[in-house]
Amino acid sequence: QGHAEDPEVKSLLSQVQTRKSLPPVPVRKAIRVASGSSTAAVAAACGVYEMTVIRWEKGERTPRGEHLERYVEVLRLLQEAL
């Protein structure tokens, strides 16, 4: 049996891929600003406080788990809309 079939391994690989999809710190804010979105709007879409998004954009904190998945998706959608 291959380890890649193990649900825990699949979950770990998925998390790694999502983390790799997170834009570099300077790009995060640039995407949001270029899209005309506020930090409050991004925070609401991610289910976090506005200050959390500000910290993510400054590189003071790194999103994790479900918030990481949501943030990556929000940034991807905002970038596609440009």
Side-chain angles (χ1 to χ4, degrees):
Q1 288 280 351
H3 292 292
E5 299 304 314
D6 184 318
E8 290 179 18
V9 173
K10 287 175 112 173
S11 175
L12 176 62
L13 292 174
S14 175
Q15 290 172 32
V16 169
Q17 284 302 112
T18 302
R19 207 172 307 118
K20 287 172 69 175
S21 301
L22 183 63
V25 170
V27 177
R28 299 172 195 175
K29 183 175 182 178
I31 292 170
R32 179 185 57 75
V33 170
S35 74
S37 301
S38 67
T39 51
V42 171
C46 293
V48 298
Y49 293 112
E50 183 177 9
M51 197 65 208
T52 301
V53 172
I54 292 167
R55 288 181 177 129
W56 290 344
E57 288 183 350
K58 290 180 175 181
E60 294 174 0
R61 296 278 190 274
T62 302
R64 299 189 191 317
E66 184 180 322
H67 295 142
L68 171 63
E69 292 174 16
R70 287 186 184 183
Y71 189 47
V72 166
E73 181 69 5
V74 167
L75 291 177
R76 186 183 66 76
L77 293 171
L78 290 177
Q79 192 166 31
E80 285 179 3
L82 297 178

